[in-house]
Amino acid sequence: MAAQAHPAIDSSPSPWSAVARAVALLTVAVSVLLTAFAWPSARSSVHDVPIAVAGPAPAVRQISATLDERLPDAFEITEVADTAAVAVYRQEHRSRTG
């Protein structure tokens, strides 16, 4: 009978453990990236956005009250006489902000 040679035992880790490590590393990397991009949008809010409102006094009061109730300190509401005054307000505000 011929003598059979024993195959050399490979001491390197199995390919499945390498795959598992790669999947875990990629999962962590994707989670960090998603958190980095989602965090600012979850934490941002509006503050003192200028708005000019024209219309009958009761409607203007209702709009102002509703906006203040839903988003306090989010809007800087200015009451104006008519839509022409809104255009003037918008132009003045645009020139102030750059």
Side-chain angles (χ1 to χ4, degrees):
M1 266 186 133
Q4 292 182 349
H6 295 285
I9 298 176
D10 189 12
S11 63
S12 65
S14 73
W16 288 110
S17 63
V19 169
R21 278 195 304 266
V23 167
L25 179 66
L26 289 173
T27 301
V28 169
V30 168
S31 298
V32 168
L33 286 173
L34 287 175
T35 301
F37 283 102
W39 188 265
S41 65
R43 292 295 194 202
S44 65
S45 63
V46 294
H47 296 287
D48 299 325
V49 175
I51 294 178
V53 180
V60 170
R61 283 193 298 274
Q62 182 180 6
I63 290 171
S64 298
T66 302
L67 288 174
D68 283 337
E69 178 185 319
R70 292 189 181 176
L71 295 169
D73 299 326
F75 301 104
E76 179 185 312
I77 301 169
T78 303
E79 296 180 25
V80 294
D82 55 13
T83 55
V86 171
V88 170
Y89 174 83
R90 184 175 55 208
Q91 185 63 34
E92 287 175 359
H93 181 72
R94 187 177 295 155
S95 64
R96 274 188 256 149
T97 59

